[in-house]
Amino acid sequence: MNMEQKTFISTHGSAAKSLPKPPGTHNPLLHRKLYIESYGCQMNFSDSEIVASIMAQQGFVFTDQYHEADLILINTCAIRDKAEQTIRNRLLVFNQQKIKQPDLIVGILGCMAERLKTQLLEEEKVVDLIAGPDAYRDLPRLISQVDQGHKAVNTFLSKEETYADIAPIRLHSSGVTAFISIMRGCNNMCSFCIVPFTRGRERSRDPYSIVQEAKKLFEVGYKEITLLGQNVDSYSWNPSISTAAGSQHHTSSDQVIHFSQLLAMVAEIDPNLRVRFSTSHPKDMTDKVLYTMKAYHNICKHIHLPVQSGNNRILKLMNRTYDRAWYMERIHAIRNILGPSCSISSDMIAGFCSETEEEHADTLSLMDCVQYDFSFMFYYSERPGTLAARKYPDDLSEAVKKRRLSEIIAKQREHALMHNQKSINQVYQVLIEKCSKKSEAFFQGRTSQNKIVVFPKGTYKIGDYVDVEITNCNAATLFGTVVS
Ligand code: SAH
Ligand code: SF4
Ligand code: F3S
């Protein structure tokens, strides 16, 4: 997933937008203005849309100018130290605003809130409110607590919360593509990773609520949805599980809905609705999912299969629970079942604890074997409380980590360029998403393989499917012209 992005609520217009509120009782929060910023992965962005929905129910209106806001919410990421530093810098700015506007409320949501809990209140005086990823239904109560002059904290992690009944307000969308969270939390314990601590236990969302949400999006014009989870392959829904008393009663396994079935259910909504998903875990990705992708042309032919390292000793230290041979077998399964037209992407971590030059070279050689279409690449950042932080010294210098990362990035660029050059003279179906950032005369969209394509607008409009012949490229983008 793409990390460390930032966005804010856009009102799609000049003034702040008021959303419908149930009629009736007096609501002290009515018409206060909310500004929300999101960082981190797509799941966090998706969560901000749930938060927006909860706040709109309370009568809040949105603003995209923080200096106009009565309430600033920052949905934070804790995946690497740099992500947290970004938030701390942002708080300096909001602190300046609070000096000018003493009744401004500043709230921290998401993974950094969950990781640091009340410590954040002590360290960042500007913060009034802390809410972890499973506490968003409690926001109205937390805000009223702040209104009464107290600091407010809820970092309770739930085993059941999926926000399945909350219709998100789409903040990060041009009306063509949307994200749907299908599960929350993570039960894997990759030794470097803070996510299991910030997002809690894995739980899957009712598939019928997912299909309903996707259907509604399609009905109002959306053409592509991405199903989100930290490990979508372990999606599992048992209709007979009773969570009422906190206990789980399993019945026959044929009632259980697995990810491949969910994927088919969503793909069945309409052939013109594209379906994507992220993230697949190499230990869990099944051939069933690959055959389901093959059976439906509207399931996009792209798999994000993060490897992290190409070396067996490091993979073991990382507790990824697969080795290089297992990973390569999964890559061959993708190639055998879906052919060369399915793109594959990855995440890589350079300079994990005790990694030698030879072990780093194994990551580069694995990249040569797979030839990823694109990757998200990071150098290791120790996260307090993780297994790696407790057991393995973070013993490589930043200079070594950065040099290894730059070698990984250079190799990835070569492979991406090579793939893109192979696309020249080929024709791809592209879903038009928005105007190109560089020129108003061009549109931007993506192929089924998740490649960005830029082309002259012609008479087409956002949301159309067009066939584009590729004429040129760089490592990041394809350029072409519409042929139909
Ligand atoms: N659930 C996904 C990944 C979620 S985090 C998966 O298992 O693949 C996204 C990526 O951030 C990870 O794949 C990893 O490459 C990177 N990452 C996670 N923790 C990190 C850390 N401590 N330092 C550097 N990169 C990290
Ligand atoms: Fe983190 Fe591993 Fe879970 Fe991904 S699968 S979120 S890397 S613990
Ligand atoms: Fe996502 Fe960052 Fe949390 S990557 S799950 S927002 S730690």
Side-chain angles (χ1 to χ4, degrees), residues 3 39-41 44 76-79 111 194-195 198-199 230:
M3 302 297 116
Y39 295 81
C41 62
N44 237 24
T76 61
C77 175
I79 199 85
C111 292
I194 197 71
V195 172
T198 61
R199 296 245 157 198
Q230 292 297 354

